[in-house]
Amino acid sequence: MSTVIEEVIPAADFRTMHSTAACNQSLQAVQDALYVLNGKWKLPIIIALREGPRRFRELQRLVTGITAKVLSKELKELEMNEFAVRHVYATTPVTVEYELTEYSHSLDSVIEALRQWGTQHRARILGKDKLEI
Amino acid sequence: MSTVIEEVIPAADFRTMHSTAACNQSLQAVQDALYVLNGKWKLPIIIALREGPRRFRELQRLVTGITAKVLSKELKELEMNEFAVRHVYATTPVTVEYELTEYSHSLDSVIEALRQWGTQHRARILGKDKLEI
DNA sequence: GAAAGCGGTATCCTTTGGGATACTGATAAC
DNA sequence: GTTATCAGTATCCCAAAGGATACCGCTTTC
């Protein structure tokens, strides 16, 4: 992510871009995006948090199958990317809450595109499965 | 991917969906989509193929750094997902060409969303870097 | 006083993705 | 006759991701 961008090219439709530099730059952007959503748990956690702030153990129950260790690691990464904030309340014992940030909603269009494509792709595959029996 | 979908729910805006079943279904769709784009090489290969059909060795030269083993594996996966087709021509020695399918273009909107988000995210991070010096 | 819940951390282990290298049999180029 | 190219495959190896389990100090509930 700290790579220098040598040549800045105005935004253009992906389909029409074929210069090497433009392609590389697009590729880099797409890979940046995939990188932050990568792994088995980022999306499940983000989606669980969409309904409101959650405490650590609450999240672990909502995101079925995740271990405390992994949840902890993922939450740190979400914090680093500024998708979530961690609130500590001085109760005894302390209460810790995780909440999505405003910035996390910049992902909405990405997630929506993924959702739409994934939905039709699944339908397509299920359709083929039927024909293949 | 062969999981049965129990409850079918009409498409709805991602932000407004909060029933458990709807969320799970969305999550599944998003994960399906991420799954097919996953790994270090899927996108570089797809992007290389956008400019036209390529032979195996040609691809290996275009996608810098990929080994034959990995390229071979990735191409098989692209074929399985019907993003690419493999054409074998009976020359001596045989000529093998890989070509994107029509269906691969259904990914365009996904890739475009990822590209746009990735671009602004990178700009955001580079901006922060400056402030932090 | 024992058990369970809180928010994690530490340690060990397995699985997966991917890199490095070597090799194939046929053909074309030097 | 040697070398390079084609489209891969086979084998070995390494690092990262993630699962399993145990544990921490603290507090509430039974």
Side-chain angles (χ1 to χ4, degrees):
Chain A
M1 276 301 304
S2 308
T3 321
V4 175
I5 299 173
E6 298 87 6
E7 183 187 347
V8 178
I9 290 164
D13 184 352
F14 185 79
R15 271 149 298 194
T16 66
M17 288 201 299
H18 291 306
S19 92
T20 306
C23 276
N24 285 345
Q25 198 173 313
S26 291
L27 178 55
Q28 188 61 64
V30 175
Q31 285 177 327
D32 288 351
L34 282 180
Y35 181 76
V36 305
L37 296 179
N38 221 353
K40 194 171 171 182
W41 299 111
K42 294 269 165 24
L43 263 311
I45 294 171
I46 288 177
I47 287 174
L49 285 175
R50 291 187 102 103
E51 293 168 43
R54 296 289 174 200
R55 303 175 58 179
F56 188 88
R57 302 291 302 202
E58 241 178 323
L59 268 177
Q60 202 181 341
R61 263 176 259 112
L62 285 171
V63 181
T64 51
I66 198 169
T67 63
K69 176 185 119 181
V70 173
L71 177 57
S72 170
K73 196 202 69 182
E74 299 285 306
L75 286 171
K76 279 175 188 154
E77 292 179 22
L78 292 179
E79 268 193 271
M80 284 186 2
N81 285 324
E82 298 183 44
F83 294 156
V85 273
R86 183 175 181 266
H87 300 290
V88 184
Y89 301 106
T91 53
T92 46
V94 290
T95 304
V96 179
E97 264 189 3
Y98 294 89
E99 191 181 8
L100 288 187
T101 61
E102 258 313 300
Y103 184 58
S104 78
H105 291 294
S106 68
L107 283 171
D108 284 353
S109 55
V110 172
I111 295 178
E112 177 59 16
L114 289 167
R115 191 190 65 74
Q116 280 186 21
W117 188 88
T119 300
Q120 70 79 25
H121 186 64
R122 170 169 289 260
R124 183 182 152 106
I125 285 180
L126 290 180
K128 297 229 178 234
D129 276 356
K130 275 188 191 164
L131 295 178
E132 277 167 13
I133 294 174
Chain B
M1 278 301 302
S2 308
T3 322
V4 175
I5 298 173
E6 298 88 6
E7 183 188 346
V8 178
I9 289 163
D13 185 353
F14 185 79
R15 271 149 298 194
T16 67
M17 287 201 299
H18 292 305
S19 94
T20 306
C23 277
N24 286 345
Q25 199 172 313
S26 290
L27 178 56
Q28 188 61 63
V30 174
Q31 286 178 324
D32 288 352
L34 282 180
Y35 181 77
V36 304
L37 295 179
N38 222 351
K40 193 172 171 181
W41 298 111
K42 294 268 165 29
L43 262 309
I45 295 171
I46 289 177
I47 288 176
L49 285 175
R50 290 188 103 102
E51 293 168 44
R54 297 289 173 197
R55 304 174 59 177
F56 187 88
R57 301 289 304 194
E58 241 178 324
L59 268 177
Q60 202 181 340
R61 263 176 257 113
L62 285 171
V63 181
T64 52
I66 197 169
T67 63
K69 176 186 118 180
V70 173
L71 177 56
S72 170
K73 195 202 69 183
E74 299 285 305
L75 286 171
K76 278 175 190 155
E77 293 179 22
L78 292 179
E79 267 193 273
M80 283 185 3
N81 285 322
E82 299 183 46
F83 295 155
V85 273
R86 182 175 181 268
H87 301 290
V88 183
Y89 301 106
T91 53
T92 46
V94 289
T95 303
V96 179
E97 263 190 2
Y98 294 89
E99 192 181 7
L100 288 188
T101 61
E102 257 314 299
Y103 184 58
S104 77
H105 291 295
S106 69
L107 283 171
D108 284 354
S109 55
V110 172
I111 294 178
E112 178 60 16
L114 288 168
R115 191 189 65 73
Q116 281 186 18
W117 188 88
T119 300
Q120 71 78 26
H121 186 64
R122 169 171 289 259
R124 182 184 154 105
I125 284 181
L126 291 180
K128 298 225 177 238
D129 276 356
K130 275 187 191 166
L131 296 178
E132 277 166 14
I133 292 175

